[in-house]
Structures are given as structure tokens and as C-alpha cells.
Amino acid sequence: MPTALTDLCRYPIVQAPMAGGAARPELAAAVSEAGGLGFLAAGYKTADGMYQEIKQLRGLTGRPFGVNLFMPQPSLADAAPVEVYREQLAGEATWYESPIAELDPYGGADDGYEAKLAILREDPVPVVSFAFGCPSRAVFDGFAEVGTYTIVTVTTAAEAQAAQWSGADAVCVQGIEAGGHQSTHRDDPQADGTGAGVGLLSLLAQVHEAVQIPIIAAGGLMRGSQIAAVLAVGASMAQLGTAFLVTPESGANTLHKQAMTNPLFTRTELTRAFSGRPARGLVNRFLREHGPYAPAAYPAVHHLTSGLRKAAAKAGDAQGMALWAGQGHRMARELPAGQLVEVLSAELDVARSALNLPAGGSAS
């Protein structure tokens, strides 16, 4: 088991744990085998489903890898906004001939958290990271006892300080440029549309001055030169999601992969349309039509729209899918994951030389 962040992999490159199918064992294994740090996404999976993917990944690589968990979310205080949104989605259900599933908006908010913790403590993996909050010190102590390295995803310096105080080994600093869900520890709908999110470089500087534990940078990173930039301002490693989304090993839907560079999709936007929590995706019809009305009700809205998103994918209609993407999506390269790691590392070395930084591929 690793004892420091620099023990995890040869290159300072982390593959983001993209929930929903993209971060499957084949992708994580390819990244880890190439010298990066591959990740599995346990979110939206059962505890047994997570365990089966871990077994599969272990059969593909003996190198370190990580597993990402979603923190339990507060119970929904009022179901009325969710029911109103259900009615607004009726036209989608008719169009895709897919009934909107009945659900209990007050349940299913813990994502099987305790069962997943139990499995990961009983059969430890090298790294466990957390999204949407910070575990208790007891959780970190339990993982420390079995030799698992722990990381908490943060979006503010205050969240990073809380993670350090609780006992996390490192933080993953997520800038506003990042694709997919913003991993805020408290979902505040009052912040929607206010521009409250902070860009990665500014946020890295703030967190670097606020904590003493290692930092992983995430948000819109697509090139080795960008990795060099975040290393220069205090990060030890860089996490990339959208860059790996389009690789052959990614489990993302083909339409999703193609949309990254499709000229029909010119920009990204933070939206609650698909899940009830702010997440960055390509602007499509569903996002435009429903984003302004989606309630702050995660994961109820996620479950509400799940069937519709699957039906849209089955119908070959990217306009009805959640096309999660970072701001750098137009720079996506359709390379095998292992080759992408090597290309990023080579670009990093070139940029380090230009910036007069220490040469070499390993994390600093």
C-alpha cells in the first residue's frame, strides 16, 4: 500500500473517477499500467457492483488504483419541487416513450455508503477518494489502519482545511472549469448563477496557502502544458476527466464521446437539469429547456431523469443526454488511454523545460 502521494504512480497524472459508466475497470487499468493513477467510480453502483469491478480491475493490473465514493446527502426536506419537475418532464417521457420512474424522493440518498466502506475496509484498495463532502475522522482512521491512502475532493480553501483537520491524506482541488458534478460539500442553490465558483489556478493558490497536505488539481486540464502549470503553483498531481472520456477504454456512450468535438456543441454550462446538483455539461436541448426549472434536489432528480437519459441514448439523440464535459472539451484526443498518458507526460516534460522546472515524469 502507498505511504505517500508520490508512491502511487510514475507520472503525476490521475484519471478522474467519472460516475455513470465511463470510469470502468478497462480504463483504470490502462491508465495505471501506463504510469498514471486509474480510478473506479463507485457512485450509482451497489456495494456488490463496486466490489465486482474492483475484482475485475485487479485481474487487469497489479499497479495502484483508486475507488471514489459519494458521501451521503441530506434528506430531501420538501418533495413538492421534485413532483413539479416530474410534470415538466412529461413531454420528454412521451417523446422518448419512456415512463418517468416512480421514486421515493426521501430515500436513496446515501448511495450505499456504509456498505461500501465496510467492503473497502475488509478488502483494502490502495486509494479511496470522496466526493460531495468529507468523512469523519473515524473513517479516515479506519482507512489509515489498513494502509489505504485517502483523498477528499474540495472546491474551496475552507473545505480543504476541513479535510485536513478530519485526517485526509490529500485533497483534490476542483476548479469551476471541471466537467461533471461540482463536488461542493454543501449544495447551496443561492449560489446558482452568481459566478461564485473559482477558477482552478486561483483556487490552487488559495488552497496551497491554507493546507499542508498534498494537492491534486482538477478542472479543464487537457494538455501536458496545463499539468505543468498546476504543478508550478503548488499541486503535486493533476486529475483529468474529459481527456480520458473519449478513449476507447472509456465506458462512455459513443454519442457522448463524439459530442466532445462535435461543432454542434459549442460551450458548456453548469446545470441542475439532469441530477438536481450543479454539474458542467455541453449545452443541448434538454439542458436549455429544463435547466432553469430543475430543483436543488440531488439525487432525486438524478433518479427522476435516469430513464429519460437512457431512452435518449438508445434513440441516438444526444440532445436528450447528460453530456458531461469540462471547459477544455474541444481539445479531446481520441487516443488509447495508455498512449494518452505517455503523450501527456511527454508534453509535461517539454513544458517543464520551458518553465525551467525540474525534469522527469514522476510527481513532485
Side-chain angles (χ1 to χ4, degrees):
M1 289 295 182
T3 58
L5 188 59
T6 51
D7 294 336
L8 295 173
C9 49
R10 180 182 177 190
Y11 303 126
I13 298 170
V14 181
Q15 164 245 312
M18 299 167 282
R24 60 182 179 174
E26 293 88 344
L27 175 59
V31 171
S32 290
E33 281 291 303
L37 180 65
F39 253 94
L40 291 177
Y44 308 135
K45 294 184 176 71
T46 64
D48 183 63
M50 175 196 75
Y51 182 60
Q52 294 304 320
E53 287 206 344
I54 292 172
K55 287 174 59 178
Q56 184 180 350
L57 177 54
R58 283 173 169 153
L60 296 172
T61 182
R63 297 177 184 254
F65 63 89
V67 175
N68 177 257
L69 301 181
F70 287 172
M71 291 295 297
Q73 299 301 293
S75 298
L76 189 61
D78 182 8
V82 177
E83 292 306 317
V84 170
Y85 195 52
R86 179 199 295 274
E87 294 174 3
Q88 292 173 337
L89 295 176
E92 301 284 344
T94 300
W95 177 257
Y96 291 116
E97 299 180 342
S98 174
I100 301 176
E102 296 294 329
L103 58 93
D104 175 11
Y106 297 100
D110 70 348
D111 200 51
Y113 178 71
E114 292 296 339
K116 291 172 183 175
L117 284 181
I119 289 174
L120 293 170
R121 283 193 295 255
E122 182 177 340
D123 190 3
V125 298
V127 185
V128 171
S129 69
F130 300 88
F132 304 153
C134 180
S136 66
R137 178 168 288 274
V139 170
F140 289 120
D141 288 345
F143 279 122
E145 289 175 2
V146 297
T148 295
Y149 196 90
T150 51
I151 302 168
V152 174
T153 306
V154 302
T155 60
T156 67
E159 291 175 354
Q161 288 176 319
Q164 176 178 263
W165 180 86
S166 296
D169 292 314
V171 288
C172 179
V173 175
Q174 184 192 48
I176 196 68
E177 305 95 334
H181 286 93
Q182 289 288 296
S183 190
T184 51
H185 292 191
R186 177 178 174 271
D187 184 12
D188 181 12
Q190 298 301 316
D192 290 1
T194 65
V198 181
L200 179 58
L201 290 180
S202 295
L203 184 57
L204 276 176
Q206 295 173 27
V207 174
H208 187 58
E209 293 185 0
V211 302
Q212 287 73 54
I213 55 179
I215 296 170
I216 300 169
L221 304 177
M222 303 292 289
R223 295 288 188 267
S225 57
Q226 293 173 298
I227 297 174
V230 297
L231 297 183
V233 294
S236 295
M237 302 180 78
Q239 178 173 286
L240 294 77
T242 304
F244 286 104
L245 180 77
V246 299
T247 63
E249 295 89 348
S250 160
N253 185 282
T254 300
L255 292 173
H256 192 171
K257 294 181 180 183
Q258 294 172 344
M260 294 299 104
T261 54
N262 188 327
L264 286 175
F265 302 103
T266 60
R267 64 186 179 90
T268 64
E269 188 176 296
L270 287 174
T271 184
R272 295 181 183 271
F274 300 100
S275 72
R277 211 179 206 280
R280 183 173 298 282
L282 298 176
V283 176
N284 60 4
R285 178 193 59 77
F286 194 105
L287 189 155
R288 287 193 301 269
E289 293 181 0
H290 302 294
Y293 311 105
Y298 176 87
V301 172
H302 163 79
H303 296 304
L304 196 69
T305 66
S306 177
L308 297 176
R309 289 179 276 125
K310 291 177 182 176
K314 185 177 181 180
D317 184 9
Q319 296 293 338
M321 298 168 58
L323 303 174
W324 304 136
Q327 288 184 341
H329 65 94
R330 302 289 297 177
M331 301 168 72
R333 299 177 283 200
E334 296 181 24
L335 299 173
Q339 184 180 347
L340 179 57
V341 171
E342 296 292 343
V343 168
L344 289 167
S345 177
E347 291 173 345
L348 171 58
D349 282 344
V350 171
R352 275 174 155 164
S353 297
L355 293 171
N356 199 29
L357 296 173
S362 60
S364 59

